Amino acid sequence: MNEAKVVITYDGLQGLVDGLAARGYQVLGPTVRDGAIVYDAIARVDDLPAGWTDRQEAGRYSLERRNDGALFGFAVGPQSWKRLLHPPIETVWTSRKDENGITITTEDRTYPKFAFLGLRACEIHAIAIQDRVFCEGAYPDVAYEMRRQDTFVVAVNCGQAGGTCFCVSMQTGPKAVSGFDLVLTELLNQGSHDFLVEAGSEAGAELLAQVPHHLASDAQLVSAEAVIERTASGMGRRLETDGIKELLQSNLNHPRWDEVAERCLSCGNCTMVCPTCFCTTIEDNSDLAGASAERVRKWDSCFTMDFTYIHGGSVRKTARSRYRQWMTHKLASWIDQFGMSGCVGCGRCITWCPVGIDITAEAAAIRAAPHAVKGDHHGGS
Amino acid sequence: MEGLEHILSEHAFFEGISAENRQLVSGCARYHSFNAGQYLFREGELANEFFLIRHGKVALEIVAPGQAPIIFATLGEGEIVGASWLVPPYRWTFDARAVEFTRAIGIDAACLRGKCEADHHLGYEMMKRFLPILVQRLHATRLQILDVYGKR
Amino acid sequence: MAVPPLPDPLVPQVYRVEQVRRELSDTVTLELKPRSGSRPAFEAGQFNMLYAFGVGEVPISMSGDRANKAAFVHTVRDVGAISGAIAKLEVGATIGLRGPFGTTWPVSAAEGSDIVIVAGGLGLAPLRPAIYDILANRGRYGRVVILLGSRNPDDMLYRHELEQWRQRLDVDIEVTVDHANVDWHGHVGVVPALIPRAEFDPHDTVALVCGPEVMMRFTVSALRDAGVPIDRIYLSMERNMKCAIGFCGHCQFGPTFVCKDGPVMRFDRIADIFTTREV
């Protein structure tokens, strides 16, 4: 879109929210609850986490008060938008059994129209990655497509890098360059609280046109660029991505996997908070009488003991093999499967790991000593 | 003697052996044939001969009291039967039964052991030929023990 | 290899059990017909997800002749709750079925070459459709060799058919068992041991291998020792499957999804991960 960049006020932001509600969207955005930033329904701009920021480190997360009233002055919380587009539980179909046999029924479903307010660049990439997984294979996930097609995205360029962020390494941010209907950059200066807005679609431009706005001044454009540059230079982590696929795929027996296995609890937190992890399981349940049954699809994690169960045992019995699977899938196999990395550098897995395992540190350790072997070697006949 | 040497030269077990060593071995060799059902040897008997199968099939079996014999291996043309002749106390540890009409060359164990003691080059030559066969059979036996086709 | 997508690939179609044939003490072959319409086409090597009402789904390879256009034929062994429920179905029962899914044995691509088929135990079931295809066009292939390993002579799958195929003069069949009693006059020993004695040209052979993974590993070793190149050896892999359409992630084997990049896989493409433990 070649629209000029415009500026709206705090009240203008409320106008966007009202406009979305009037168009039948469920507006969702960040809120403070239970000591974390979680996504919930937004009716008023005041519902947003004004004046809050987050402190994130490996295995640690807490909210702190800012000394200003920034609405988006934090990175990302434990949830990602995937719980809305790719819900944790979904009934796929129900069936009945009688003297004539089985009948299977799918229900007509209505899908809500979501408007996501405050989507970050890394999260836009995460959604694009899940689009690739669910929409572009031989068997598109119809329910996902239906949920996705009406989604309105109001993105926000991050004004504050998180302690575990590395979107710069993954080339997924901090600036949102596509995948949005509107993108905001929060401009908080002495006495003014405005938002630089850019439309990324006709729907975005049309909504923006209805809210009072004026062309951005040069000073405001410079200010917005400075926000993004400040964020980019404040990344908490780095991941060297050069040749990472070959590096990990040729080091499947590296001793570092044994080392991380001693720390990893196989709790699966990383897979729950990761915005791109997509694994599910299928559960077939029936009532006690055996007359009705249903199929339910639920989030699953490759860290569970029976994820790979076959013929009386699991292929990946050890924590070592399961951690290796998660990390090599995320950073290496994903590229073979979908033509892009599975990681967007949001840092959630680092923050929410109870023992603080850091994917960037693990990758760096293997890169520092590739093809290392364990101390002793045993032959056998 | 010439006929036996010729047969030995054509048997897979002695492929590439020097003429000198072949002559030494053939001095301990003789012809055998077994009808279907006939035993080459029984468990516990003195292992005084080992066999090169020229034609036919031999089943290796073990009998447990109160149970029918179980065949754990069959050997055929080009293969050898018997390694216990190499190892004291030189007694067979299983039964060997011809499944069908089988022609074999028997090599007298005491004779060959004596010649190997006298000529270590011949001894090493025999070891080099036996060991790969035993290793391969050990490997195959391990796979059989795994019972891969059974239920977990 | 491409198969057009089905209407909703997570919803099973209802099929009726037309015939049940007991193969072994714990194994049956079911013939399944759709309640309405005709069954979709399939290629040798593919599988369906069979749904036992209220119990669950398992992937089972097709094991029937493609020429039987009316029904799907599946050989099922009772090894757990779901397969057990399916193996106990009687004629007239209904079952859910999704498919066909997966990649196929290279039956057409192998024309002009020798074929060596190595089956271990129940591994003969996914290979049987390929054998039917090959025998139906026997003239297009060089030598055809079928090597089969079983636990013992009583556990041999499709024995009646093996004996029929053996009566043809243009197919070499050798079977071996892990152990036997004295009534058995055939080979006793492991399947790889049959390979050095089989007659085929390793420089122009396509090998199709299916069975327990341990058996496949050592069979591939023996084929390579015999000189068969690794890009002409095909295996049928198995992993835990839930969706069969590449979403649930359970069947991943390295970077491959066994449900859509397999189950039939060319060995050179998986050689590294095949020998890595717990991949």
Side-chain angles (χ1 to χ4, degrees):
Chain A
M1 311 264 344
N2 270 332
E3 306 270 327
K5 297 184 189 176
V6 301
V7 172
I8 63 174
T9 63
Y10 189 101
D11 292 330
L13 186 56
Q14 183 64 52
L16 288 181
V17 173
D18 294 337
L20 286 167
R23 283 163 176 71
Y25 286 98
Q26 265 189 49
V27 184
L28 299 163
T31 63
V32 176
R33 193 170 78 226
D34 297 334
I37 307 284
V38 301
Y39 299 133
D40 207 342
I42 299 280
R44 312 279 322 151
V45 170
D46 303 328
D47 296 334
L48 292 166
W52 285 102
T53 188
D54 51 18
R55 283 249 170 274
Q56 298 199 37
E57 244 316 316
R60 288 209 293 277
Y61 179 97
S62 60
L63 293 184
E64 268 181 20
R65 277 248 159 251
R66 298 174 64 91
N67 55 16
D68 61 26
L71 294 178
F72 300 104
F74 46 86
V76 291
Q79 291 176 340
S80 62
W81 300 96
K82 87 173 175 183
R83 70 178 295 114
L84 296 147
L85 296 172
H86 176 50
I89 303 180
E90 204 189 343
T91 301
V92 184
W93 47 255
T94 55
S95 72
R96 299 205 56 80
K97 185 177 185 185
D98 56 27
E99 60 278 356
N100 298 322
I102 312 172
T103 38
I104 299 176
T105 327
T106 48
E107 265 143 41
D108 283 331
R109 275 180 281 187
T110 52
Y111 299 94
K113 272 169 43 164
F114 290 127
F116 295 155
L117 172 61
L119 211 63
R120 305 309 175 90
C122 62
E123 299 182 297
I124 292 178
H125 278 270
I127 293 177
I129 287 172
Q130 291 213 327
D131 287 350
R132 175 82 178 78
V133 172
F134 292 122
C135 304
E136 292 173 43
Y139 299 101
D141 183 342
V142 173
Y144 180 92
E145 284 182 327
M146 296 301 289
R147 271 179 232 112
R148 184 77 182 88
Q149 69 181 9
D150 282 329
T151 307
F152 192 101
V153 173
V154 180
V156 164
N157 286 321
C158 296
Q160 171 112 12
T164 53
C165 286
F166 55 103
C167 63
V168 169
S169 296
M170 306 313 294
Q171 300 180 305
T172 55
K175 184 173 178 179
V177 298
S178 65
F180 52 79
D181 296 290
L182 292 171
V183 61
L184 313 175
T185 309
E186 192 164 22
L187 300 174
L188 201 55
N189 301 312
Q190 257 121 352
S192 70
H193 191 169
D194 299 315
F195 299 89
L196 185 76
V197 189
E198 201 183 327
S201 72
E202 291 206 11
E206 191 244 349
L207 179 66
L208 182 58
Q210 298 182 345
V211 163
H213 57 272
H214 60 268
L215 273 179
S217 68
D218 285 339
Q220 285 170 323
L221 289 173
V222 166
S223 182
E225 283 305 312
V227 164
I228 293 169
E229 277 200 34
R230 185 188 69 223
T231 308
S233 58
M235 291 285 126
R237 293 291 192 276
R238 256 195 92 241
L239 179 72
E240 176 60 67
T241 55
D242 221 25
I244 186 133
K245 182 178 100 78
E246 291 70 24
L247 175 74
L248 293 180
Q249 287 175 339
S250 65
N251 277 289
L252 296 180
N253 289 314
H254 198 282
R256 185 73 187 192
W257 301 120
D258 301 282
E259 203 271 337
V260 71
E262 285 173 19
R263 293 175 277 140
C264 175
L265 306 175
S266 290
C267 69
N269 261 16
C270 47
T271 57
M272 298 291 114
V273 299
C274 174
T276 64
C277 273
F278 60 82
C279 287
T280 51
T281 187
I282 305 282
E283 265 181 26
D284 285 305
N285 306 315
S286 66
D287 65 2
L288 285 174
S292 69
E294 60 170 11
R295 173 163 298 171
V296 172
R297 191 171 147 197
K298 282 184 177 176
W299 283 6
D300 201 354
S301 170
C302 55
F303 281 96
T304 60
M305 255 314 280
D306 60 356
F307 192 79
T308 55
Y309 183 85
I310 190 163
H311 297 323
S314 295
V315 174
R316 294 183 209 123
K317 287 182 172 54
T318 60
R320 168 189 180 269
S321 64
R322 284 177 268 140
Y323 186 86
R324 178 183 68 185
Q325 163 64 19
W326 179 73
M327 189 170 141
T328 55
H329 184 205
K330 192 66 57 188
L331 297 178
S333 314
W334 208 290
I335 299 173
D336 289 320
Q337 294 168 349
F338 304 110
M340 52 179 65
S341 177
C343 177
V344 297
C346 70
R348 286 183 178 90
C349 57
I350 304 171
T351 297
W352 295 98
C353 173
V355 297
I357 294 173
D358 183 338
I359 194 175
T360 64
E362 299 308 312
I366 293 177
R367 191 180 283 276
H371 306 296
V373 291
K374 281 205 307 212
D376 42 356
H377 245 287
H378 297 286
S381 72
Chain B
M1 276 306 144
E2 251 188 16
L4 268 174
E5 247 195 84
H6 181 72
I7 289 170
L8 287 181
S9 73
E10 296 203 317
H11 195 275
F13 182 71
F14 285 115
E15 191 181 315
I17 197 171
S18 72
E20 188 194 334
N21 283 334
R22 189 175 61 232
Q23 200 176 45
L24 282 170
V25 173
S26 68
C28 303
R30 60 178 175 141
Y31 292 105
H32 278 286
S33 66
F34 302 95
N35 290 317
Q38 199 177 346
Y39 280 85
L40 282 68
F41 52 79
R42 295 276 205 174
E43 183 182 330
E45 287 174 355
L46 207 58
N48 50 13
E49 206 167 11
F50 74 93
F51 302 91
L52 285 66
I53 300 179
R54 295 171 58 200
H55 165 84
K57 185 182 286 167
V58 175
L60 311 186
E61 306 174 345
I62 288 197
V63 184
Q67 287 172 32
I70 307 250
I71 304 173
F72 58 86
T74 54
L75 300 169
E77 182 178 324
E79 301 191 277
I80 55 150
V81 179
S84 303
W85 63 275
L86 275 165
V87 182
Y90 310 125
R91 296 224 167 248
W92 294 119
T93 55
F94 50 82
D95 297 348
R97 172 179 57 84
V99 178
E100 52 196 55
F101 177 71
T102 297
R103 279 201 213 92
I105 302 292
I107 312 273
D108 185 294
C111 169
L112 188 56
R113 284 198 300 266
K115 290 191 181 181
C116 289
E117 281 296 326
D119 179 353
H120 287 179
H121 289 296
L122 174 65
Y124 185 54
E125 186 64 43
M126 294 304 299
M127 289 299 148
K128 274 198 298 188
R129 285 167 190 279
F130 258 99
L131 219 43
I133 292 172
L134 296 182
V135 168
Q136 190 193 61
R137 291 200 193 161
L138 175 63
H139 176 64
T141 305
R142 285 169 171 162
L143 292 189
Q144 282 166 271
I145 288 176
L146 284 181
D147 194 25
V148 292
Y149 306 129
K151 270 198 274 222
R152 303 279 155 265
Chain C
M1 277 196 198
V3 175
L6 301 163
D8 184 345
L10 280 182
V11 178
Q13 305 301 305
V14 179
Y15 278 64
R16 185 179 178 276
V17 178
E18 297 291 322
Q19 240 194 74
V20 176
R21 185 198 173 110
R22 176 152 298 281
E23 304 281 358
L24 306 170
S25 60
D26 59 358
T27 307
V28 297
T29 294
L30 304 176
E31 198 170 296
L32 306 174
K33 280 196 179 150
R35 215 186 229 159
S36 55
S38 51
R39 69 150 176 84
F42 74 91
E43 306 271 331
Q46 293 192 300
F47 66 96
N48 284 323
M49 292 296 274
L50 299 184
Y51 170 65
F53 184 82
V55 188
E57 260 188 347
V58 279
I60 308 279
S61 294
M62 274 58 140
S63 54
D65 198 340
R66 297 198 307 131
N68 175 359
K69 295 209 187 300
F72 277 126
V73 172
H74 287 282
T75 297
V76 182
R77 186 181 189 190
D78 177 354
V79 295
I82 309 172
S83 58
I86 295 173
K88 293 183 181 77
L89 290 174
E90 293 173 349
V91 173
T94 49
I95 187 174
L97 186 151
R98 299 193 287 128
F101 299 119
T103 53
T104 66
W105 296 114
V107 170
S108 303
E111 286 178 14
S113 303
D114 289 353
I115 302 256
V116 173
I117 291 174
V118 190
L122 211 60
L124 184 55
L127 281 165
R128 192 168 68 163
I131 295 175
Y132 287 138
D133 281 353
I134 290 165
L135 295 183
N137 293 295
R138 181 64 186 87
R140 300 186 192 168
Y141 303 92
R143 288 197 166 99
V144 173
V145 177
I146 300 175
L147 306 176
L148 171 66
S150 290
R151 202 153 173 254
N152 59 54
D154 296 328
D155 274 352
M156 204 172 289
L157 194 59
Y158 311 141
R159 185 150 176 184
H160 53 283
E161 236 166 338
L162 285 164
E163 285 165 2
Q164 274 181 346
W165 291 334
R166 232 221 191 120
Q167 282 175 23
R168 297 173 65 123
L169 299 175
D170 55 1
V171 179
D172 293 335
I173 299 187
E174 292 295 341
V175 302
T176 187
V177 294
D178 279 350
H179 52 267
N181 61 32
V182 298
D183 296 329
W184 175 251
H185 292 251
H187 295 293
V188 177
V190 292
V191 152
L194 296 177
I195 289 168
R197 275 190 288 192
E199 285 196 15
F200 59 91
D201 178 4
H203 302 298
D204 193 11
T205 288
V206 172
L208 312 181
V209 183
C210 186
E213 211 164 302
V214 173
M215 168 256 168
M216 290 201 293
R217 200 157 78 230
F218 293 116
T219 297
V220 170
S221 240
L223 286 168
R224 293 175 76 174
D225 287 344
V228 181
I230 54 176
D231 63 353
R232 303 206 92 198
I233 299 174
Y234 293 78
L235 310 183
S236 183
M237 293 300 300
E238 256 190 297
R239 283 294 185 268
N240 181 302
M241 279 187 198
K242 295 277 188 269
C243 72
I245 52 180
F247 286 158
C248 71
H250 283 245
C251 70
Q252 286 177 85
F253 172 50
T256 69
F257 288 85
V258 175
C259 68
K260 56 177 183 157
D261 305 313
V264 176
M265 295 187 174
R266 209 174 76 182
F267 184 70
D268 61 326
R269 295 176 180 148
I270 56 171
D272 289 339
I273 47 177
F274 194 66
T275 50
T276 305
R277 246 158 268 158
E278 293 192 89
V279 161

